Structure formats: structure tokens, C-alpha cells
Amino acid sequence: MLINTYIDNSFLISKTHTHTQPYLLLFFPLLAEMEMPTTPVAVAVAFAVTALAIWAWKALDWVWLKPKRLEAYLKRQGITGNPYTFLVGDVRKELGMVKEASSRPIGLNEDFAPRVAPLLMETVKNHGKLSYMWIGPTPTVIIMKPDHIKEVFNKVYDFPKPPSHPMVKLLASGVATYDGEKWSKHRKIINPAFHLEKLKKMVPALYENCGEVISKWERLILEGGSSVEVDVWQVLVSMTADVISRTAFGSSYEEGKQIFELQEEQAKRVLQALQMGFIPGFRFLPTKNNKRMKEIDREVKWRLREIINKREMVMKTGEAPEDDLLGILLESNSGEGGMSIEDVIEECRLFYLAGQETTSVLLVWTMILLSQHQEWQARARDEVLQVFGQEKPDFDGLSHLKTVTMILNEVFRLYPPVVLLGRSTDKETRLGDKTLPSGVQIAVPMLLVHHDPDLWGEDVLKFKPERFADGISKATKNQLSFLPFGWGPRICPGQNFAMTEAKMALSLILQRFSFELSPSYKHSPHMVLTLHPQFGAQLIFRKL
């Protein structure tokens, strides 16, 4: 889980603050009594010794003195947590816990939170819903109370995003990682790409991609008899990547697919590298993985720049930009105060990563749960057939699928794509009746909030879409306890896109197939960038 925290939140070892300066004053009387060197060599040696002493003191402050100051500060506020371990914090312990938990599948109805977030679970169990754990020498304060969550997500300038780890930037940056004026500008430019009118224009691309997958399954059944077993996870990953390629790059769809494949490889390599990310300077070592990550970074940027150059040439001929994400970003770039080309590249990379992952994860867990709960599969199918029959689903019809929406919300509650979101403090900041010091990270563990029986009831782990029959506010009792896309000013701008794509794919599947779990399926929720099925999702499909 901590490795994925690096990706989502870029939790980092904090920069050394000026807390070291008062300690250096202790040496000044001693320095005053020392005989000053007079030769150039002596001056150079004295300078080197002084620089080394300052560096050593800063290092000591970073790995020990500062963490202990922050630990004492939090304890004075009544916030307890795991004791600090020199340099590594809880990272090594977390890696061991995750490795052990992921070594075997679990039961279908078993709580999977200990499998994907064992340290979070242990910390909350031992120290409560306001506690802390350690990522390297940085304390991470866990908050689970709805009022605290609302305060953190609302006050975007008091609780900024944590600084991005340089290795994470090899994967994507963009609006999700920015703060302040840059975040505000990019958010304003990107929002129109996801307005309802734009989503309506994307529906044909969604239908085309989903329809290709459906046709392939139909051919497999015709060739194999009455049913066919399919690992839907791999199919959905490919399908949602195709959708992102079409909706982001339009006519440059094939080139977009190549970028996705590189981004997918990069994600795996970044996660591997971040296991050692708390070690200073590790990213500079000429390891095979580090070199390959830099190669991919260069190639993705080059490919995106080629696509952008082609689109700009078309725009110069007087042809209007297309209604895809790239067209909207480049249109902003043409005016004063728009994005730079480098900014456009990063936003495209982020859209690939976030858009593809969120929808594929939502769909795969929806199909697994509907395979397990056949009565809800039947109810969803009845609704789809009532609204569309065997006709092509349209945007207005998709927006009226109440039962399907209830099901998707319940899947998001049980299987949120991201386990937690992070914020930080860069000054002393009030949170409820507590004060948090500068230099701590904040973790909002959506998974634990979604699975909290105090918020959702004793049946919290059961699949019950009827919770959402009267909407999200009624289901949550007007508490901030449902956070699949975050909340507040920084809520994910692509949430409607993800829901529309999922409804289209699910409608087409339900129109043509019934499906159930294969005996070969192993239930193994597993965190990569998002919540994946570790050993795939093998389902058996039958033609209706």
C-alpha cells in the first residue's frame, strides 16, 4: 500500500527545513577560538571540513532529529502511532506484510482490506482513526472522520498535494499533482473537456470500442459451443485503453495505443523503483530499471510531440480542432495564458493513466460481483432491455439507468480504485481541535472509510446496491463517507466520463450475455496503481 501511496500522492521524504540553522549556532563560539588557516590548501581543507560538517548535520536532522521532533509534536496533540524506525520508517515492514498477504487468494466474501493495506489496518486498529505511520522519515497522519476529511479536501491551500517524487514524474504529472495557481489554471482549461455536451459526442467512440469486444466474444461462443471462458481483466484493460486513445487523440488513435503500451510498462517499472525510493540518490544509479524508465520517458514525450505537431499543422490550415482532449488543450495553448506544449504532453499522459485505470478497474469488479450475485445481474439486464431493447445505447438512455447506477456506486464503495489519497502541510495547520505541524503528510484511506461499520452499518462488507436506491446523500446519511473520485475542489474531473464508459460497456454486455465466475477464478484484490485482480478475472459467458 505505501508503494501505491507514492504513486497516488507522491509521498516523499521532506526537504530539510531551516530547523538545522539554530543548531549550527552552537558551533560558532568554537569556530571563533580556532586559528584561521592562511595557506590556500589549508583554506580549501577547512572549507571542505566545514561543508562536510554542515551536510552531516543536515543529514542527521533529516533522518533522525526532525522525525523525532514531529513525533513528539503529534503526541502532544494526543495523536499516537507507530514508533519511528531510523530512515526506513514503516516501509520495510509494509513491504513484508504486503508480500505475505498477496501470496495466496482469499474467500469471495472475505474482507480484502488486510490484503491490500495491512499496515493501514494495523495502525488504525492499534492507534485509532486519527493516528500516524511512517513513510521513510516522514510521519503520515491517517484521518477517517468525515468532518476531518471534509476540512482537508475543502481547504486546498491549507492542505496541498505532497511534492512529487522525481521517479513518479517519469510516469505522469499534470493537474492531479499541481498546486496553487498552476493547478487552478489547468483545472479551468480541462473542465470543459468533460462537460455533458462533450461526453455526448464521445458516446459513438465508446460504442465502437465496446462493440468490437462484444463481437469478438460472440464469435468465440459460436466457435466453442454454448459458452466460453474469458479472462475479462485483460480484455477490459485493452478496451479502455482503446477508448482513451480515441477520445484523447481522435484520428491519431493508433499512435495513442503505442503510447499506452509504453505507459503501462512505465507504471510497473516505477512501482518497482519506488520500493527503494526512500534511499537518497537511488534514482541516479545506472540500474537496468532506471535506464529503461528514462528511455520510456523520452520515447513517450517524443511520440506525443509528434502527434501534437501533426495536429498543429492541421490547425494552421484553418481547420478547427477536434472535440477530443488534445484539441481542447491545444486550443487553450493558442491563446495568451494557455498551457505550454510540455504541459499539454503531461496532461495527455495523466489522462491515459487515470482514465484507463479507473474504468477498467470499475468494470472488472462490477462483472465479478454480478457473477457472484446473479439476482442483481438479472435486475440490471431487465433495466437495460427495458430502456434500450436490443438497440444501440444512447447518452440519454445511459443517464436513466437507475439500477445500473446503484450497482456501480456499490462497486465503487466496496472496491474503490485507489486505496487512499494524500495531502500535506507546509505550515502549522488546524484540523478540527488538533494542530498539525509543518512537514507531515496526510492520508485519507478511502478503502477503510468505505468499509467502516460505524459509517455504513454492520453489513458494510456485503454487496447491497439498494443502499444507493435514493442517491448518495441518503446512503451516506449526509456524511462525507463515499469518496471514489475524491471530493471538494480537487474532485476528479473525469468522473462522469468513467461512469458513462462503464454504463455503455455494461449495457452492451448485458444485452447479449449472461456470465458467471469460472471455477478457475481466484479472488485476489491487489494494489498496483489501482485495485487489480492479481490472478485475472476468469468468467464464463453464455449467449442469450
Side-chain angles (χ1 to χ4, degrees):
M1 184 281 305
L2 291 179
I3 298 305
N4 297 287
T5 305
Y6 276 107
I7 289 292
D8 178 59
N9 312 304
S10 302
F11 281 179
L12 247 198
I13 299 166
S14 300
K15 295 179 180 178
T16 304
H17 284 204
T18 53
H19 291 103
T20 36
Q21 294 174 0
Y23 295 104
L24 295 176
L25 295 175
L26 298 173
F27 294 102
F28 285 177
L30 179 63
L31 292 172
E33 294 181 11
M34 291 174 61
E35 185 177 344
M36 291 295 103
T38 57
T39 67
V41 172
V43 169
V45 170
F47 179 81
V49 169
T50 303
L52 184 62
I54 292 172
W55 178 88
W57 186 263
K58 285 186 175 183
L60 177 64
D61 186 67
W62 168 52
V63 299
W64 185 254
L65 299 177
K66 181 183 176 184
K68 297 303 288 183
R69 286 197 303 272
L70 293 175
E71 187 174 39
Y73 191 118
L74 292 172
K75 285 183 176 178
R76 287 196 299 273
Q77 292 292 311
I79 304 172
T80 62
N82 304 330
Y84 174 58
T85 301
F86 181 79
L87 183 60
V88 298
D90 290 320
V91 172
R92 184 181 298 165
K93 179 180 180 182
E94 167 77 353
L95 289 172
M97 294 173 79
V98 170
K99 184 178 180 180
E100 168 63 22
S102 61
S103 64
R104 58 189 180 277
I106 59 175
L108 278 168
N109 298 313
E110 191 175 338
D111 184 9
F112 66 87
R115 192 176 198 276
V116 299
L119 184 67
L120 261 176
M121 291 283 291
E122 181 181 271
T123 304
V124 171
K125 180 181 178 182
N126 293 339
H127 299 284
K129 294 179 182 178
L130 181 62
S131 52
Y132 62 84
M133 56 189 185
W134 295 88
I135 298 176
T138 304
T140 300
V141 177
I142 302 164
I143 64 168
M144 289 182 59
K145 297 178 181 178
D147 288 346
H148 286 167
I149 296 170
K150 182 179 290 188
E151 192 172 351
V152 166
F153 282 166
N154 247 341
K155 297 180 178 178
V156 294
Y157 298 107
D158 288 340
F159 298 99
K161 296 283 283 189
S164 294
H165 193 289
M167 283 190 287
V168 173
K169 291 180 180 179
L170 292 173
L171 185 57
S173 53
V175 68
T177 65
Y178 298 147
D179 270 309
E181 186 179 338
K182 188 166 187 177
W183 165 75
S184 180
K185 182 179 84 171
H186 281 229
R187 181 71 187 226
K188 187 176 180 181
I189 290 170
I190 287 170
N191 275 344
F194 300 103
H195 286 172
L196 289 183
E197 290 305 311
K198 290 288 191 299
L199 284 176
K200 287 181 181 179
K201 293 178 180 179
M202 293 178 184
V203 165
L206 301 181
Y207 176 79
E208 184 175 350
N209 277 103
C210 298
E212 289 170 2
V213 172
I214 300 301
S215 298
K216 182 178 178 181
W217 289 348
E218 287 179 323
R219 288 194 299 272
L220 287 173
I221 290 177
L222 288 173
E223 293 169 4
S226 61
S227 64
V228 64
E229 180 174 317
V230 178
D231 182 353
V232 296
W233 173 237
Q234 294 305 320
V235 176
L236 293 172
V237 166
S238 178
M239 183 190 78
T240 51
D242 288 353
V243 167
I244 293 293
S245 297
R246 289 187 193 276
T247 53
F249 301 115
S251 59
S252 301
Y253 156 68
E254 288 299 333
E255 293 143 292
K257 284 183 67 176
Q258 294 170 338
I259 293 169
F260 168 74
E261 290 167 2
L262 289 167
Q263 286 281 87
E264 190 176 29
E265 180 186 349
Q266 188 78 313
K268 294 174 183 176
R269 290 186 176 277
V270 167
L271 285 172
Q272 179 184 335
L274 283 172
Q275 293 183 23
M276 306 298 290
F278 61 90
I279 299 176
F282 180 80
R283 64 191 172 94
F284 298 112
L285 297 179
T287 65
K288 183 178 178 181
N289 194 51
N290 284 350
K291 288 191 286 187
R292 177 57 182 157
M293 285 194 298
K294 290 175 183 176
E295 288 173 5
I296 293 173
D297 182 56
R298 287 193 294 269
E299 185 172 355
V300 167
K301 287 179 178 177
W302 173 79
R303 288 182 180 277
L304 281 169
R305 195 173 291 275
E306 286 290 297
I307 293 173
I308 289 168
N309 288 341
K310 290 177 185 177
R311 181 67 67 87
E312 284 185 319
M313 288 177 65
V314 173
M315 291 170 66
K316 284 177 182 177
T317 64
E319 191 173 322
E322 298 176 36
D323 278 329
D324 55 21
L325 181 68
L326 181 58
I328 290 167
L329 296 180
L330 288 177
E331 194 171 26
S332 82
N333 173 257
S334 63
E336 187 176 342
M339 293 186 188
S340 67
I341 293 300
E342 288 69 26
D343 286 340
V344 171
I345 288 172
E346 289 306 319
E347 295 300 346
C348 287
R349 285 170 64 168
L350 179 64
F351 183 54
Y352 246 116
L353 185 70
Q356 188 276 331
E357 284 278 336
T358 301
T359 311
S360 59
V361 165
L362 171 59
L363 280 169
V364 77
W365 294 118
T366 298
M367 295 189 71
I368 288 170
L369 284 166
L370 290 183
S371 294
Q372 186 184 1
H373 299 274
Q374 290 289 323
E375 71 282 9
W376 280 102
Q377 184 182 145
R379 287 179 63 173
R381 181 178 295 106
D382 288 345
E383 180 180 61
V384 167
L385 293 176
Q386 182 179 353
V387 174
F388 301 118
Q390 291 295 334
E391 298 300 315
K392 174 181 174 180
D394 57 32
F395 183 83
D396 291 336
L398 293 174
S399 64
H400 287 92
L401 294 176
K402 181 179 177 180
T403 299
V404 169
T405 301
M406 288 160 51
I407 289 169
L408 293 175
N409 281 335
E410 180 69 344
V411 174
F412 265 139
R413 186 189 70 80
L414 286 170
Y415 292 84
V418 178
V419 167
L420 78 168
L421 287 174
R423 296 293 185 265
S424 62
T425 60
D426 52 16
K427 60 182 182 297
E428 279 194 339
T429 307
R430 292 288 295 178
L431 179 63
D433 61 351
K434 308 291 183 183
T435 301
L436 300 181
S438 173
V440 302
Q441 310 292 348
I442 296 168
V444 180
M446 283 98 76
L447 177 62
L448 301 194
V449 173
H450 287 190
H451 290 194
D452 188 347
D454 292 338
L455 297 173
W456 294 92
E458 291 304 316
D459 60 356
V460 67
L461 297 180
K462 293 183 179 179
F463 178 68
K464 295 181 65 176
E466 61 266 31
R467 297 178 204 274
F468 293 93
D470 297 314
I472 293 172
S473 295
K474 201 75 175 285
T476 59
K477 301 171 186 172
N478 291 311
Q479 298 182 95
L480 188 55
S481 55
F482 184 64
L483 306 156
F485 294 99
W487 191 79
R490 297 196 72 125
I491 194 168
C492 175
Q495 59 178 321
N496 290 330
F497 175 88
M499 289 292 280
T500 302
E501 184 183 354
K503 288 178 183 179
M504 173 64 79
L506 199 57
S507 294
L508 289 172
I509 291 168
L510 290 168
Q511 280 179 327
R512 292 164 174 81
F513 305 103
S514 65
F515 48 92
E516 61 190 60
L517 289 175
S518 165
S520 62
Y521 172 70
K522 298 175 182 177
H523 192 53
S524 305
H526 174 68
M527 280 302 298
V528 185
L529 288 178
T530 50
L531 195 62
H532 293 190
Q534 185 178 355
F535 303 116
Q538 297 78 17
L539 305 184
I540 295 174
F541 284 81
R542 290 183 172 82
K543 187 81 172 68
L544 291 175

